[in-house]
Amino acid sequence: MHTTSITGTNVALNAKYTVSGTGVGHSNYTASLTDGQANNAMAYDNTWFAFYCNGSDPTVLNAPDKQGYVIIDLGAEKDINAIRINFANNTGAGICSAEKVTVSFSNDGESFEKAGRMPLYIATAEDTANDNKVYWSELEVEGTARYVKVDVTLLGTFVFLNEIE
């Protein structure tokens, strides 16, 4: 698991963002991803945001085919030197680590260029020793962008996160 070591100004603080899929995700897990309120404990409530891929109800699916994304609009082009994401893990409940998370930048919101791939703690459904863990993943990058896209490939039914900086 990663600890927070990157410091600096959170240019995504209170930024607007859009999420993939036709739904808002599982209705119990709708936390804001840019409000600056990072959780340090696992909870089953709206203090966490969930990418959800199970079932066929289009009003809740936001990661169809286990693929989800968040596009953050920083409001103007900004220098970016790191991306940090706060994740939770509870494999027994289907909340697994992401299989893959990539970060891309854009200045127009349409054409994105890959900035890097997040190093992840990978926990599978059999890894119950790490249930209810909360951790940060960090990626050092260099770039200038108005839009930051975070692509998430789910390993289980859910990926829980609650802050992107």
Side-chain angles (χ1 to χ4, degrees), residues 7 20 46 57 81 94 100 103 110 117-119 121 131 142:
T7 59
S20 61
N46 65 0
D57 183 349
N81 63 12
K100 178 174 68 170
V103 177
E110 294 179 23
R117 184 171 168 174
M118 301 284 301
Y121 164 73
D131 279 353
E142 289 295 327

Side-chain angles (χ1 to χ4, degrees), residues 4 7 11 16 32 42 70 72 92 96 104 109 115 126 140 151-152:
T4 45
T7 59
V11 297
K16 294 179 182 179
S32 173
M42 178 69 196
V70 176
I72 300 170
C96 297
S104 303
E126 293 78 31
E140 291 188 44
D151 285 294
V152 178

Side-chain angles (χ1 to χ4, degrees), residues 67 97-102 117-118 120 122 151-154:
Q67 301 294 316
S97 301
E99 181 177 332
K100 178 174 68 170
V101 176
T102 56
R117 184 171 168 174
M118 301 284 301
L120 295 171
I122 302 296
D151 285 294
V152 178
T153 301
L154 282 68

Side-chain angles (χ1 to χ4, degrees), residues 28-29 41-48 89-93 95 132 160:
N28 293 332
Y29 312 117
M42 178 69 196
Y44 297 98
D45 59 25
N46 65 0
T47 63
W48 287 92
N89 185 70
N90 186 345
T91 56
I95 305 164
N132 296 312
F160 269 29

